[in-house]
Amino acid sequence: MKSLLPFIVVGLCAGMYFVYIAPTLSDINLKSEKKAEYENVLGRVKELKQQRDSLSTKYNNVDRSDIEKLNMIIPSKFDTTYFSNDLDSIASKYGMRVKNIKINYDVSSVEGDAEAGDKNYKTITAGFGLSGTYDQFISFLKDLESSLRLMDVVSLSVKSNSKDNGNILDYSVEIQTYALQ
């Protein structure tokens, strides 16, 4: 019996290894891999938090006047009254008056259909008339060009004013401006 006891102990140890220790060791290795994945994800989360905090700090340090200027370039909402007053104030600098303002919202860009592409802005077309000398009108266009609001002149027509000796001209202007959705 003494000679069989070591073989029985070795057999029991081998059985314990295959029945309990090997599956437990496999489970431990699997959990170690999961732990490494979680630590990797937590490290990435910490990086993203630092990046978020850095961007938040940069955003909060932007001057309010700069944000207002950016909102002038492409406003979040198009305000017809404000736009009309803005045009009229530019024209009045040169002794001109804006008349017959017609605003047209481009429906395709507002809805963002497949043909127009998914735009993050809408296009507003505005037509209006002016009367004045050529020099006044050129000054008006230069001021319009240097305005903070993003505008594109789409069409322009000039007619001679029959009431004057040809010095005063009637202008018809169509521009496009933009607003965020």
Side-chain angles (χ1 to χ4, degrees), residues 106-161:
D106 185 3
V107 178
S108 64
S109 66
V110 172
E111 294 173 358
D113 58 2
E115 295 160 7
D118 290 332
K119 296 181 181 178
N120 293 328
Y121 62 91
K122 59 184 171 183
T123 304
I124 299 96
T125 304
F128 56 92
L130 295 163
S131 292
T133 65
Y134 180 76
D135 291 334
Q136 288 174 322
F137 184 69
I138 292 299
S139 298
F140 169 78
L141 283 180
K142 285 182 181 177
D143 221 8
L144 196 66
E145 178 183 17
S146 64
S147 170
L148 284 179
R149 184 182 295 269
L150 187 60
M151 291 184 259
D152 299 322
V153 175
V154 177
S155 73
L156 170 67
S157 66
V158 181
K159 292 181 191 173
S160 176
N161 191 335

Side-chain angles (χ1 to χ4, degrees), residues 42-79:
L42 286 174
R44 182 73 178 132
V45 166
K46 285 180 184 178
E47 289 175 18
L48 290 174
K49 281 183 180 179
Q50 288 174 344
Q51 190 176 18
R52 181 201 62 197
D53 292 343
S54 170
L55 290 174
S56 178
T57 302
K58 286 180 183 178
Y59 178 78
N60 290 334
N61 288 336
V62 173
D63 192 24
R64 284 286 157 208
S65 65
D66 291 339
I67 291 174
E68 289 173 10
K69 287 178 184 176
L70 286 173
N71 286 334
M72 279 292 297
I73 293 172
I74 299 182
S76 58
K77 180 183 170 197
F78 182 74
D79 185 358

Side-chain angles (χ1 to χ4, degrees), residues 1-7:
M1 193 67 160
K2 256 183 164 183
S3 62
L4 283 177
L5 189 60
F7 292 113

